[in-house]
Amino acid sequence: MAAASSTPPLPPAPPASRSTRAAAQRPAPRAVLLAVLLALAAQIGWQASRPPPRARAQDLPPAPSLAALQLAALGDPVALSKATMLYVQGFDEQAGISIAWRDLDYRKLAGWLQRVLELDPRGQYPLLAASEVYGAVTDPARARLMLDFVYARFGEDPNRRWPWLAHAALVARHRLHDLPLARSYAQAIRLHATGPQVPAWARELEIFIAEDMNERDSARALIGGLLRSGQITDPHELQFLSDRLDQLNADHKP
């Protein structure tokens, strides 16, 4: 029986010569090491000289359509309105940066606040934020946008939304020093917020603004109209208005 064939083993590698071993162990030339160190130092210096990364503020995007929000609400628009309001309110605090209210796009902001109200018409927080938070900005143009937003939304539910228009009237009167604007807001409260839950001072706000405008005749006419309208039933309020009318009449005499 023939023996099985086998591959002959490879011959052993020849030992490295003394010159080869010496070349492998020889240190790198000093010029090369110096060049590497200089390159590393230059890289460290360049990184150290660069300014630190700065966070960049993102613009408030336009509010989505009401239909899109209603679809995303999954049958719970009130919960989505609260989440949306939290998103809007937190937009001025972004990662690594704080945005001043005066730097926000107030037209887009009004659009978001309107969407929140449309999702939850009985909600009051968007109007509070518009009149007392965003309306407190030092930029008169932006403040007026917020006050006008409150005024526009007031007409949709005047007996529940009158507090925010009353605050808007006070902002217009004392902060913007715009008495005609303040009076127009106060007049809207007197004419449209006629429910029993509306307090006397809100109905009478227009009278005091008219007096501030030195329109005593208008103030007298307003008080007389309220007294004749039958809206005033509280004896103390009736007495107050009567006394105020008597004082205005006395001041009017030559």
Side-chain angles (χ1 to χ4, degrees), residues 79-97:
L80 182 59
S81 73
K82 293 178 180 179
T84 304
M85 192 66 212
L86 288 175
Y87 164 77
V88 174
Q89 193 172 9
F91 198 83
D92 56 339
E93 292 292 339
Q94 299 179 19
I97 193 168

Side-chain angles (χ1 to χ4, degrees), residues 25-242:
Q25 297 174 359
R26 186 180 302 152
R30 288 189 176 184
V32 175
L33 291 175
L34 183 60
V36 171
L37 290 175
L38 287 175
L40 180 61
Q43 177 71 10
I44 294 173
W46 178 69
Q47 291 289 349
S49 65
R50 294 180 63 189
R54 299 180 60 186
R56 299 185 63 183
Q58 297 180 359
D59 293 332
L60 183 67
S65 67
L66 179 59
L69 288 173
Q70 288 173 334
L71 184 64
L74 299 176
D76 195 351
V78 174
L80 182 59
S81 73
K82 293 178 180 179
T84 304
M85 192 66 212
L86 288 175
Y87 164 77
V88 174
Q89 193 172 9
F91 198 83
D92 56 339
E93 292 292 339
Q94 299 179 19
I97 193 168
S98 180
I99 305 173
W101 291 335
R102 64 177 178 272
D103 294 331
L104 292 173
D105 187 326
Y106 266 44
R107 294 191 182 278
K108 292 180 181 178
L109 176 61
W112 279 97
L113 295 177
Q114 180 172 339
R115 289 291 181 265
V116 174
L117 273 180
E118 289 170 341
L119 286 171
D120 181 16
R122 295 185 63 82
Q124 301 286 342
Y125 193 70
L127 296 170
L128 181 153
S131 63
E132 299 191 15
V133 179
Y134 297 112
V137 71
T138 55
D139 182 350
R142 283 178 166 82
R144 288 175 186 273
L145 279 173
M146 287 294 99
L147 301 187
D148 287 344
F149 168 78
V150 173
Y151 175 66
R153 304 280 74 82
F154 160 81
E156 299 166 354
D157 192 358
N159 286 326
R160 296 186 67 253
R161 296 179 177 177
W162 66 264
W164 319 119
L165 189 59
H167 188 271
L170 296 176
V171 171
R173 176 186 181 186
H174 296 292
R175 192 171 299 155
L176 298 181
H177 306 291
D178 190 337
L179 289 174
L181 181 64
R183 184 174 178 181
S184 68
Y185 294 160
Q187 183 183 60
I189 295 173
R190 177 178 62 85
L191 294 177
H192 302 293
T194 57
Q197 72 274 26
V198 181
W201 68 264
R203 290 193 295 265
E204 298 161 6
L205 186 58
E206 186 184 2
I207 296 171
F208 300 109
I209 296 176
E211 291 184 29
D212 287 346
M213 298 174 69
N214 291 322
E215 295 186 3
R216 299 300 181 91
D217 291 342
S218 295
R220 290 165 55 239
L222 287 169
I223 294 175
L226 282 172
L227 291 173
R228 292 190 299 270
S229 67
Q231 290 179 286
I232 311 299
T233 57
D234 183 84
H236 298 288
E237 186 178 351
L238 287 169
Q239 186 62 48
F240 170 78
L241 289 175
S242 297

